[in-house]
C-alpha cells in the first residue's frame, strides 16, 4: 500500500516554530548568564530606560535581556512560583506569532482563513459548553464581553438608539441588576464604559434567611424590578454568578430566567463553575446557565493556556444589532484573536479538555473528603452554618462547641472549597482557658485564618490556596483548582500535603486561641507590663514594658520606653525557644511593643511573662546606671584630682626639697634611699567615691571563698535540646518543671560575674562596679615632672 504523500510545510512557518521553541528554552531554562556577565550587568545595566542603540542586537541578546528582566531579582526575593507552561501553552504562544504573520496575507485569503478560524472555534466552544445556536465574541479583558452584550441590549430595547443616542435613555431610565456577591467594581466599570450614571446600577442583596449567603435573593429581586417598572424605569440586564468570586456559589438560574422572560430582561452569567459544563455529570443548577442570553468563559486559567482571550457566548437573531454593539467585526484582523485558542483546542482535543476540567474537580472533591476525615473538622452545605451564633442563652461551652473548622461547599460537586478555622471545644484542654474568647472573636479568628492561609500557601505552593475575605464569614482559605491547577500543575499528592499541613496547624491554632486570655491575665498582673489589645495579630498578643521611673519628662520617658523595649525584643529573639517575637504588624497603631506569635500545647504562659519582666527589669536597671554614669565619673575625677594633689604635697614634705632637684636628688636617693609605703585609691563608679585599696586586697580572697561556698540560684533542669517555656508533662519535650527565669538570669550574667553582696549594691547591676586604683606612692626613684598631670589625664 502506497504511503500518502507528505505535504511540505511553509519554510517561514517552520522557522517561526523553531524560533519560538528556542526562545522558550532560553526563557524557561532559569539559567542566568555567567558570573562575569552578571558582574558586568550590575555595572552597565540600569533599571530605567536608556537610549536606543544605534547598532541592532541579535535575537539571543534580546532574549537574554528579557530573561534578566524576568528573573533579575530572584536572588533577593527567593523562590518564585511561575505558571507551568506545557506544550499546550506553547501552542497558545505560537498563535500570537502566527497571527502577526497571517495578518500580512492578501485580503481575500486572509478573510477566508479568519472566517474558518472563527467559525471552528465558536462551534467547538458552543458544543463543549452546551450552548446551542450561539455566537462568540473574543476579548482580552474578561469584562469587555459584558460591556458589548449590554450595549446590544440597549440597542434592542431602544430602537432609535443608533440615531438618537443617549437622549432616549432620559425618558426611560435603564437599570442593570447585579448580585452583591459579584466581583467588586464590575458594575462601576460597566456604567463607565457605557456612559451610564451609577444610578442605573442596582445591587441585589443575597439571601439572609434561607439558603446560601452568596446567592441572589430572587424574591427581593422581583420586588426591585416591579418597583422600578412602576417608577418608569426600564429593567435592562441582570448579571448572575455561576460560582461567586469569593465562595464559588451558584445562583438559581431557572428562577432568574423566569423573571427575565417575564420582564423582558437580558440574563448574563459568569463564573468558574461554568467550566463544569464540559463534564458528563453536571449539577442541575449549573446546567440551567445554558438557557441564559450570554455567558463569559475564561478558558485560559481553566486549561492552563497563557495569553488566550476570554470568550463571551451569546444568542441574538439580528446581525446588524450585533455589529452595532461591537460583538462582530468586518475587519479580518480582529478575528485573529481566536487563533491562539483555535490552535490550543486542537492540540488538547476533546478528551484533553475534559481530562483537565475533570482533574480539577477531582482535586476539590479529594480535599473535601479528606477534610471530613480530620478530627475537629465539620462540613456544612452552606457557609451560614459556620457563622458564630448569637449569644442569647446557654453556657459558653455550648456556644463554642458548635464553632468548628467548617467547610463552605455550595453543592457536593462544587469545584471551589472554602474553609475557615473556628475554635473546637470538644477536645479536652491541657491548659488555657476560653473565658473572654467571645470578645472580639471575629477579628481574632480572621487573624488566625489569615495566618493559616498564608502558611499553607507558603509551605504547599503547588496547592494554589489563597486567602479570601467574605462579608459575612470573614477571612477564609480558598482552594479553587479550576483557576490554579492547570497553571501550577497541582496533583493529588499536593492536596494530600495540604491536608497534612492543615492537620499540623489546627492544634497550634487551637492552643493559641485558648492561651490568648491566659496570656492577657498574666500580663495584667504585672505592674511593669502593659497589655496591647490588637486582635488582628495572629498570636498570643502584645505587651509593652513600662519604665518604673516617674521623674522623667514625657520625651525622655518615651525615649526610655523605646530603648528598653527595643533591647528587650532583641534579647527575647536570642532565646532558645520555638516562640516567635516581633515588633508587631506593619500598620499597628501601637509603637514600641513586643508581639508573641503562635503557641503550642506545652507552653508555660506564666514562665513566659515572668521571663519578659525579668529581662526588662535588668535592661531598665542597666539603663539607669548608664544615665547617671556621666555625673558620677565627673565627680569622681574631681575628687581624684584633689586626692592626687594632696598626695603630691605630702610626698614633697616627706622627701624634702633636695630630693626634687635633678641630679642632686638622684645622688641623695642613692646614698640614702627613702622607704615609702604604697598608698592607693579605688574609685567605685556605683557609689561615686574614692576608697582605700587596702580593704580590696585584704578581703579579696575571703570574697572568692564565700562566693564558692554560696549555693547558686535554682536553675531549671533541662535536657540537651529542650526549649524554654515548656510545661512539665504537656508534651514529649517537657520533662520537668520549667523556670527559665533563673536560667536566663544566669546566662545573662555570664558577662558580669561579679555578684552584689549587700543591699545597697543590689540596686545597681554588679557588672558595672569598676574599680580604678590611683597609686600615690613614692619610690626610691624620683618622679619626673609632669607625671602627676599624666596620671590625672589617664584617669580621665
Amino acid at each position: 500500500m502506497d504511503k500518502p504523500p507528505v505535504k511540505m510545510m511553509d519554510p517561514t512557518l517552520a522557522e517561526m516554530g523553531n524560533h519560538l521553541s528556542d526562545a522558550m528554552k532560553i526563557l524557561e531554562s532559569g539559567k542566568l548568564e555567567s558570573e562575569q556577565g552578571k558582574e558586568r550587568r550590575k555595572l552597565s545595566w540600569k533599571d530605567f530606560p536608556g537610549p536606543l542603540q544605534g547598532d541592532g542586537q541579535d535575537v539571543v541578546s534580546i532574549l537574554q535581556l528579557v530573561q534578566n528582566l524576568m528573573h533579575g531579582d530572584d536572588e533577593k526575593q527567593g523562590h518564585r512560583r511561575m505558571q507551568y507552561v506545557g506544550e499546550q501553552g506553547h501552542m497558545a504562544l505560537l498563535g500570537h506569532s502566527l497571527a502577526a504573520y497571517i495578518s500580512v496575507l492578501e485580503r481575500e485569503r486572509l478573510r477566508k482563513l479568519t472566517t474558518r478560524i472563527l467559525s471552528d472555534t465558536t462551534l467547538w466552544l458552543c458544543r463543549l459548553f452546551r450552548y446551542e445556536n450561539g455566537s462568540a465574541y473574543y476579548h482580552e479583558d474578561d469584562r469587555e464581553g459584558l460591556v458589548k452584550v449590554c450595549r446590544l441590549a440597549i440597542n434592542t430595547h431602544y430602537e432609535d438608539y443608533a440615531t438618537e443616542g443617549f437622549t432616549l435613555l432620559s425618558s426611560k431610565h435603564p437599570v442593570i441588576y447585579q448580585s452583591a456577591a459579584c466581583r467588586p467594581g464590575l458594575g462601576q466599570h460597566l456604567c463607565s464604559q457605557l456612559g451610564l450614571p451609577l444610578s442605573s446600577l442596582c445591587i441585589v442583596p443575597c439571601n439572609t434567611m434561607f439558603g446560601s449567603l452568596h446567592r441572589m435573593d430572587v424574591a427581593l429581586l422581583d420586588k426591585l424590578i416591579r418597583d422600578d417598572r412602576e417608577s418608569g424605569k426600564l429593567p435592562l440586564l441582570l448579571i448572575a454568578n455561576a460560582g461567586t468570586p469569593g465562595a464559588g456559589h451558584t445562583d438559581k438560574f431557572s428562577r432568574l430566567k423566569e423573571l427575565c422572560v417575564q420582564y423582558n430582561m437580558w440574563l448574563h452569567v459568569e463564573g468558574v463553575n461554568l467550566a463544569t459544563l464540559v463534564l458528563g455529570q453536571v449539577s442541575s443548577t449549573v446546567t440551567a446557565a445554558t438557557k441564559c442570553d450570554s455567558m463569559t468563559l475564561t478558558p485560559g486559567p481553566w486549561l492552563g493556556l497563557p495569553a488566550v482571550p476570554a470568550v463571551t457566548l451569546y444568542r441574538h437573531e439580528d446581525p446588524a444589532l450585533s455589529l452595532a454593539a461591537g460583538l462582530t467585526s468586518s475587519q479580518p484582523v480582529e478575528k485573529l484573536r481566536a487563533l491562539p485558542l483555535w490552535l490550543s483546542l486542537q492540540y488538547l482535543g476533546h478528551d484533553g479538555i475534559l481530562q483537565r476540567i475533570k482533574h480539577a474537580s477531582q482535586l476539590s472533591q479529594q480535599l473535601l473528603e479528606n477534610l471530613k476525615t480530620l478530627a475537629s473538622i465539620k462540613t456544612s452545605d452552606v457557609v451560614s452554618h459556620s457563622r458564630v451564633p448569637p449569644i442569647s442563652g446557654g453556657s459558653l461551652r455550648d456556644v463554642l462547641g458548635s464553632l468548628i473548622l467548617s467547610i463552605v461547599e455550595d453543592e457536593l460537586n462544587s469545584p471551589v472549597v472554602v474553609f475557615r478555622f473556628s475554635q473546637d471545644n470538644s477536645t479536652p484542654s491541657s491548659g488555657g482557658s476560653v473565658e473572654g474568647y467571645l470578645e472580639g472573636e471575629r477579628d481574632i479568628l480572621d487573624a488566625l485564618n489569615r495566618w493559616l492561609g498564608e502558611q499553607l500557601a507558603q509551605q504547599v505552593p503547588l496547592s494554589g490556596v489563597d486567602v479570601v475575605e467574605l462579608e459575612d464569614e470573614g477571612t477564609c482559605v480558598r482552594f479553587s483548582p479550576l483557576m490554579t491547577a492547570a497553571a501550577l500543575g497541582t496533583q493529588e499528592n499536593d492536596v494530600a500535603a495540604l491536608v497534612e499541613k492543615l492537620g499540623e496547624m489546627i492544634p497550634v491554632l487551637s492552643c493559641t486561641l485558648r492561651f490568648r486570655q491566659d496570656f492577657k491575665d498574666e500580663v495584667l498582673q504585672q505592674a511593669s507590663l502593659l497589655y496591647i489589645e490588637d486582635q488582628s495579630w495572629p498570636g498570643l498578643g502584645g505587651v509593652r514594658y513600662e519604665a518604673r521611673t516617674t521623674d522623667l519628662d514625657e520625651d525622655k520617658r518615651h525615649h526610655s520606653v523605646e530603648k528598653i523595649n527595643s533591647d528587650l525584643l532583641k534579647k527575647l529573639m536570642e532565646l532558645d525557644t520555638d516562640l516567635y517575637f516581633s515588633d508587631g504588624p506593619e500598620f499597628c497603631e501601637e509603637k514600641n511593643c513586643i508581639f508573641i506569635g503562635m503557641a503550642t500545647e506545652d507552653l508555660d504562659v506564666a514562665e513566659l511573662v515572668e521571663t519578659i519582666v525579668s529581662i526588662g527589669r535588668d535592661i531598665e536597671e542597666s539603663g539607669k546606671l548608664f544615665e547617671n554614669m556621666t555625673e558620677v565619673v565627673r565627680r569622681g575625677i574631681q575628687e581624684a584630682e584633689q586626692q592626687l594633689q594632696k598626695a603630691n604635697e605630702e610626698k614633697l614634705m616627706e622627701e624634702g626639697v633636695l630630693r626634687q632637684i635633678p641630679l642632686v636628688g638622684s645622688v641623695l636617693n642613692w646614698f640614702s634611699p627613702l622607704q615609702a609605703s604604697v598608698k592607693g585609691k579605688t574609685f567605685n563608679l556605683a557609689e561615686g567615691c574614692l576608697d582605700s585599696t587596702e580593704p580590696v586586697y585584704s578581703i579579696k580572697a575571703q570574697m572568692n571563698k564565700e562566693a564558692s561556698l554560696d549555693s547558686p540560684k535554682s536553675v531549671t533542669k533541662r535536657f540537651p535540646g529542650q526549649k524554654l517555656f515548656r510545661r512539665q508533662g504537656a508534651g514529649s519535650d517537657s520533662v520537668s518543671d520549667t523556670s527559665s527565669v533563673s536560667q536566663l538570669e544566669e546566662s545573662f550574667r555570664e558577662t558580669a560575674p561579679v555578684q552584689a553582696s549587700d543591699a545597697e549594691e543590689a540596686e545597681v547591676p554588679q557588672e558595672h562596679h569598676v574599680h580604678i586604683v590611683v597609686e600615690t606612692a613614692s619610690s626610691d626613684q624620683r618622679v619626673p615632672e609632669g607625671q602627676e598631670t599624666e596620671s590625672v589625664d589617664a584617669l580621665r
Side-chain angles (χ1 to χ4, degrees):
M1 182 176 179
D2 297 336
K3 296 182 180 180
V6 179
K7 296 183 179 180
M8 298 298 295
M9 180 182 293
D10 188 344
T12 305
L13 294 179
E15 183 180 3
M16 184 183 304
N18 294 333
H19 286 172
L20 177 63
S21 179
D22 295 339
M24 293 304 299
K25 289 179 180 179
I26 295 177
L27 296 178
E28 292 181 346
S29 63
K31 297 180 180 180
L32 301 179
E33 66 269 37
S34 62
E35 294 296 331
Q36 182 178 1
K38 185 184 300 184
E39 294 296 332
R40 183 169 58 253
R41 179 170 59 88
K42 290 181 179 180
L43 297 176
S44 61
W45 183 76
K46 302 297 182 180
D47 292 334
F48 50 85
L52 183 63
Q53 298 183 9
D55 298 333
Q57 301 185 46
D58 54 13
V59 177
V60 177
S61 300
I62 298 175
L63 290 178
Q64 185 67 60
L65 175 60
V66 175
Q67 185 192 35
N68 294 336
L69 293 173
M70 293 170 56
H71 310 308
D73 297 333
D74 287 348
E75 297 179 357
K76 299 179 181 179
Q77 299 177 359
H79 178 73
R80 64 186 185 273
R81 186 179 74 176
M82 294 187 62
Q83 177 174 339
Y84 171 76
V85 180
E87 290 293 333
Q88 72 278 5
H90 290 179
M91 294 300 298
L93 300 179
L94 179 61
H96 290 276
S97 301
L98 285 177
Y101 173 69
I102 295 175
S103 62
V104 301
L105 297 177
E106 58 183 25
R107 185 174 183 82
E108 183 62 23
R109 183 176 300 180
L110 176 62
R111 184 187 63 81
K112 293 180 179 180
L113 179 58
T114 55
T115 302
R116 171 63 183 274
I117 293 174
L118 191 64
S119 59
D120 285 350
T121 311
T122 302
L123 177 63
W124 298 337
L125 291 175
C126 289
R127 289 185 177 179
L128 281 171
F129 295 95
R130 309 184 183 189
Y131 199 80
E132 300 177 357
N133 301 324
S135 301
Y137 171 66
Y138 302 89
H139 44 93
E140 302 298 333
D141 189 346
D142 57 0
R143 301 171 298 180
E144 185 65 21
L146 177 59
V147 175
K148 299 296 185 181
V149 297
C150 189
R151 184 173 285 116
L152 175 61
I154 292 177
N155 281 275
T156 303
H157 285 82
Y158 299 90
E159 296 181 358
D160 297 332
Y161 180 77
T163 57
E164 299 295 333
F166 289 97
T167 56
L168 294 177
L169 305 182
S170 59
S171 59
K172 209 169 188 180
H173 200 63
V175 181
I176 301 173
Y177 303 89
Q178 76 165 17
S179 171
C182 284
R183 48 179 166 168
L186 179 62
Q188 290 78 0
H189 174 78
L190 185 59
C191 292
S192 174
Q193 294 298 313
L194 296 174
L196 298 176
L198 291 179
S199 58
S200 299
L201 182 63
C202 179
I203 306 298
V204 183
C206 296
N207 296 321
T208 56
M209 297 297 295
F210 304 100
S212 169
L213 294 175
H214 301 273
R215 284 178 175 172
M216 191 184 308
D217 192 334
V218 180
L220 183 57
L221 172 63
D222 189 9
K223 181 179 182 302
L224 292 174
I225 295 176
R226 284 188 278 104
D227 293 342
D228 289 336
R229 287 171 60 90
E230 292 176 359
S231 61
K233 298 180 179 180
L234 175 64
L236 182 66
L237 181 139
L238 173 63
I239 307 173
N241 290 295
T244 55
H249 289 202
T250 302
D251 290 322
K252 298 180 179 179
F253 296 129
S254 57
R255 183 72 181 100
L256 294 178
K257 182 60 179 179
E258 295 176 359
L259 287 180
C260 290
V261 172
Q262 178 181 353
Y263 297 110
N264 194 21
M265 296 173 56
W266 187 284
L267 177 60
H268 179 80
V269 178
E270 62 178 21
V272 65
N273 290 356
L274 291 175
T276 60
L277 288 173
V278 303
L279 301 177
Q281 296 180 353
V282 190
S283 64
S284 58
T285 306
V286 179
T287 305
T290 59
K291 304 301 181 183
C292 65
D293 298 296
S294 61
M295 64 169 63
T296 296
L297 309 175
T298 55
W302 298 348
L303 303 177
L305 305 176
V308 298
V311 185
T312 295
L313 302 179
Y314 65 96
R315 296 189 186 97
H316 200 266
E317 298 178 356
D318 192 343
L321 293 181
S322 299
L323 180 62
L327 289 169
T328 58
S329 175
S330 58
Q331 298 296 327
V333 177
E334 294 188 8
K335 298 179 182 180
L336 288 175
R337 292 178 183 174
L339 180 58
L341 191 57
W342 182 71
L343 294 174
S344 301
L345 292 179
Q346 290 185 86
Y347 182 84
L348 291 174
H350 183 274
D351 295 339
I353 297 172
L354 180 62
Q355 190 274 335
R356 279 162 173 75
I357 302 299
K358 185 178 180 180
H359 174 69
S361 300
Q362 290 175 347
L363 291 178
S364 62
Q365 293 302 311
Q366 177 188 355
L367 177 61
L368 192 59
E369 294 300 326
N370 289 333
L371 290 177
K372 292 179 180 179
T373 61
L374 292 179
S376 302
I377 294 181
K378 177 183 177 182
T379 60
S380 60
D381 292 337
V382 291
V383 71
S384 58
H385 294 170
S386 64
R387 290 183 300 168
V388 178
I391 306 302
S392 59
S395 64
L396 180 63
R397 180 176 295 273
D398 295 336
V399 174
L400 294 182
S402 61
L403 301 178
I404 305 181
L405 182 65
S406 301
I407 310 302
V408 180
E409 49 174 331
D410 184 36
E411 296 176 2
L412 293 178
N413 58 348
S414 174
V416 180
V417 179
V418 181
F419 56 92
R420 171 179 171 86
F421 168 80
S422 295
Q423 175 64 32
D424 179 13
N425 201 43
S426 59
T427 58
S429 173
S430 60
S433 61
V434 292
E435 285 78 13
Y437 160 70
L438 292 178
E439 181 180 357
E441 60 189 17
R442 169 69 178 268
D443 295 334
I444 296 175
L445 286 175
D446 285 349
L448 294 179
N449 280 280
R450 190 176 301 109
W451 176 87
L452 175 63
E454 293 173 354
Q455 291 297 316
L456 291 176
Q458 180 180 358
Q459 299 187 26
V460 193
L462 294 181
S463 65
V465 296
D466 61 349
V467 179
V468 59
E469 301 286 343
L470 302 181
E471 181 178 358
D472 295 286
E473 298 79 17
T475 305
C476 300
V477 183
R478 177 177 56 188
F479 177 68
S480 182
L482 273 174
M483 299 298 295
T484 60
L488 299 178
T490 309
Q491 301 298 328
E492 288 79 2
N493 57 344
D494 298 318
V495 177
L498 178 66
V499 176
E500 181 181 357
K501 290 296 181 181
L502 180 60
E504 296 174 359
M505 294 178 182
I506 289 176
V508 177
L509 293 167
S510 300
C511 294
T512 302
L513 194 57
R514 290 202 312 270
F515 285 132
R516 279 183 71 103
Q517 187 61 34
D518 291 350
F519 178 75
K520 180 179 181 180
D521 295 339
E522 291 288 341
V523 171
L524 294 178
Q525 294 177 6
Q526 303 291 337
S528 58
L529 293 183
L530 176 64
Y531 181 77
I532 305 301
E533 188 73 31
D534 190 348
Q535 296 173 350
S536 64
W537 171 254
L540 291 177
V543 296
R544 179 192 296 126
Y545 187 90
E546 295 288 343
R548 292 172 293 179
T549 304
T550 58
D551 55 349
L552 299 178
D553 56 25
E554 187 64 25
D555 294 338
K556 291 184 178 180
R557 178 178 175 81
H558 178 76
H559 178 73
S560 176
V561 171
E562 181 181 359
K563 181 68 168 57
I564 292 175
N565 285 274
S566 177
D567 295 342
L568 178 57
L569 177 59
K570 294 179 181 179
K571 293 293 183 182
L572 291 174
M573 295 175 66
E574 295 174 357
L575 297 179
D576 184 18
T577 176
D578 293 331
L579 287 177
Y580 172 72
F581 299 95
S582 171
D583 55 357
E586 182 179 0
F587 302 102
C588 180
E589 297 180 357
E590 299 288 343
K591 303 299 181 182
N592 305 323
C593 303
I594 299 174
F595 285 83
I596 296 89
M598 308 297 288
T600 55
E601 183 73 18
D602 55 359
L603 176 65
D604 192 335
V605 179
E607 181 186 0
L608 170 63
V609 176
E610 291 174 2
T611 303
I612 296 175
V613 175
S614 175
I615 301 178
R617 185 185 299 114
D618 290 344
I619 296 175
E620 181 183 6
E621 292 175 353
S622 301
K624 290 180 180 178
L625 175 61
F626 286 113
E627 290 176 0
N628 300 326
M629 186 68 68
T630 303
E631 183 64 23
V632 171
V633 171
R634 188 184 64 82
R635 292 198 305 264
I637 292 176
Q638 292 178 355
E639 184 177 354
E641 291 177 345
Q642 296 175 1
Q643 293 287 345
L644 288 174
Q645 185 178 2
K646 183 178 179 180
N648 290 333
E649 293 176 356
E650 293 178 354
K651 185 182 70 171
L652 179 63
M653 296 299 296
E654 181 179 357
E655 295 178 353
V657 178
L658 292 178
R659 293 181 182 272
Q660 311 303 320
I661 300 175
L663 186 61
V664 176
S666 299
V667 174
L668 185 60
N669 289 332
W670 176 264
F671 289 102
S672 178
L674 179 64
Q675 302 294 332
S677 60
V678 179
K679 298 180 181 180
K681 297 293 183 179
T682 176
F683 181 28
N684 192 325
L685 289 178
E687 298 180 0
C689 62
L690 290 175
D691 297 326
S692 175
T693 58
E694 295 180 1
V696 175
Y697 296 105
S698 63
I699 66 174
K700 180 178 181 180
Q702 182 67 19
M703 291 177 61
N704 294 336
K705 182 178 180 180
E706 293 177 356
S708 62
L709 295 177
D710 291 340
S711 59
K713 291 187 177 182
S714 59
V715 180
T716 302
K717 296 181 180 180
R718 299 185 185 276
F719 288 97
Q722 184 177 353
K723 304 293 185 179
L724 297 177
F725 316 130
R726 295 290 181 88
R727 292 185 291 108
Q728 180 183 12
S732 59
D733 295 335
S734 300
V735 295
S736 62
D737 290 334
T738 57
S739 178
S740 61
V741 178
S742 58
Q743 179 183 1
L744 181 62
E745 291 176 350
E746 293 297 330
S747 62
F748 201 57
R749 289 187 174 89
E750 289 180 357
T751 57
V754 183
Q755 180 69 27
S757 59
D758 54 79
E760 295 179 357
E761 293 180 351
E763 293 296 325
V764 183
Q766 195 66 21
E767 63 266 26
H768 303 293
H769 288 242
V770 182
H771 298 278
I772 301 177
V773 178
V774 183
E775 294 190 0
T776 60
S778 61
S779 62
D780 56 347
Q781 185 172 355
R782 192 183 66 83
V783 179
E785 295 181 2
Q787 179 176 341
E788 298 83 358
T789 305
E790 293 178 1
S791 62
V792 174
D793 294 338
L795 182 59
R796 291 177 184 272

